[in-house]
Amino acid sequence: MKTEIRLSGSGGQGLILAGIILAEGAILSNLNAVQSQSYGPEARGGASKSEVILSNKYINFPKVVKSDILISLTQKSFDEYSKDVRNNSIIIIDSGIDIKDNSNPNIYKVPILNTAKEVMKKPMTANIITLGVISSVLRYIDVEHIKYAINNRVPKGTQELNIQAFEEGRKLGSMFLKH
Amino acid sequence: MKTEIRLSGSGGQGLILAGIILAEGAILSNLNAVQSQSYGPEARGGASKSEVILSNKYINFPKVVKSDILISLTQKSFDEYSKDVRNNSIIIIDSGIDIKDNSNPNIYKVPILNTAKEVMKKPMTANIITLGVISSVLRYIDVEHIKYAINNRVPKGTQELNIQAFEEGRKLGSMFLKH
């Protein structure tokens, strides 16, 4: 089993941290994990990405080539990275993103940024809400392990807020993603 | 030009953040950069590593195989990762680490943890002191770009402290590393 996940958006949305937490949750669930970010010409253009590869085997090539799961929180990052997905890839995007091609049944629009702003009242929690959404498809990672990693990695004083954001993300996952 | 850097130590020393800042400083200096961390059996053993690859070309294989620069802040991480360095690699280790083989002229003992504790009075600044030490050998990254990335990435309210820690690290670099 190997799952390649790309979290994309704009700089400052906290997706590096989301990737680190996901990787830590995975290793607590006895998987191997690599988390990385590349900075190149595309980063200079404003689309940012954080990648996580999970496997029950040793991970040889740690960079995502084509993703099994793509998350995009911004139009720019969706336009950039939706080209590099596998055929049966799960694509989870923020509701605000415009899809030109509606024929792909594996694209799920989820109101992540709106939930951060209107439900959590903290736009900065979008990254942890995103984690909650992803967790609802990554059944082989124990949810408690992701929560442990959240508590371990988010700034002190924001743990409770972020665990709430994670639970909001899980609700979105169960409402908007077909299983 | 391609430089593979491995920052190793124990979990909680902030070396992931140091790697992210270094990668961001490099991209501001118009290089390409990949920062990553792997979690596998060795992470479960307590030695943690953060890797950065810098290049003026596209980076194909983003994982460090043999490092050009190895940093170790703990005995365990030195014992683990000093096996995988190139022949002419620069090895920068904390002064507290015991080297069994004294024949390698490229190993530099630098009092990083002690400077964090006794000069900065903040053990948690060891990661940024380390960055300062590294910056003194990475001449092709503009120091101001690293400082910009520090200010951008460290928690609000700790910027000034961390810039001081960076400058302490640069002093250590000029004192302890031969150029």
Side-chain angles (χ1 to χ4, degrees), chain B residues 49-117:
Chain B
K49 68 172 190 286
S50 167
E51 300 183 335
V52 183
I53 301 179
L54 307 176
S55 178
N56 57 351
K57 304 210 181 79
Y58 179 78
I59 299 166
N60 262 312
F61 185 76
K63 198 167 173 175
V64 169
V65 180
K66 288 193 179 284
S67 54
D68 300 298
I69 300 176
L70 171 68
I71 317 290
S72 292
L73 295 187
T74 62
Q75 187 73 45
K76 194 160 201 165
S77 63
F78 175 72
D79 294 343
E80 176 79 27
Y81 298 116
S82 56
K83 295 173 259 172
D84 300 322
V85 296
R86 292 190 207 287
N87 282 338
N88 58 350
S89 180
I90 296 172
I91 302 174
I92 299 167
I93 64 176
D94 185 67
S95 300
I97 292 172
D98 183 31
I99 315 167
K100 278 99 193 172
D101 171 14
N102 270 308
S103 64
N104 187 337
N106 293 322
I107 300 186
Y108 301 96
K109 280 193 165 192
V110 183
I112 294 172
L113 298 184
N114 198 55
T115 300
K117 201 174 154 202

Side-chain angles (χ1 to χ4, degrees), chain A residues 12 16 20 23-24 26-28 30-41 43-44 58-63 153, chain B residues 12 16 20 23-24 26-27 30-41 43-44 58-63 153:
Chain A
I16 295 179
I20 290 172
E24 291 203 340
I27 184 193
L28 292 170
N30 286 317
L31 296 167
N32 290 318
V34 180
Q35 189 280 328
S36 69
Q37 42 281 338
S38 302
Y39 303 83
R44 291 182 190 103
Y58 178 79
I59 298 166
N60 263 312
F61 185 76
K63 199 168 173 175
R153 284 282 167 193
Chain B
I16 296 179
I20 290 171
E24 292 203 339
I27 183 191
N30 287 316
L31 296 167
N32 290 318
V34 180
Q35 189 281 328
S36 69
Q37 43 280 338
S38 304
Y39 304 83
R44 292 183 188 101
Y58 179 78
I59 299 166
N60 262 312
F61 185 76
K63 198 167 173 175
R153 283 284 168 192

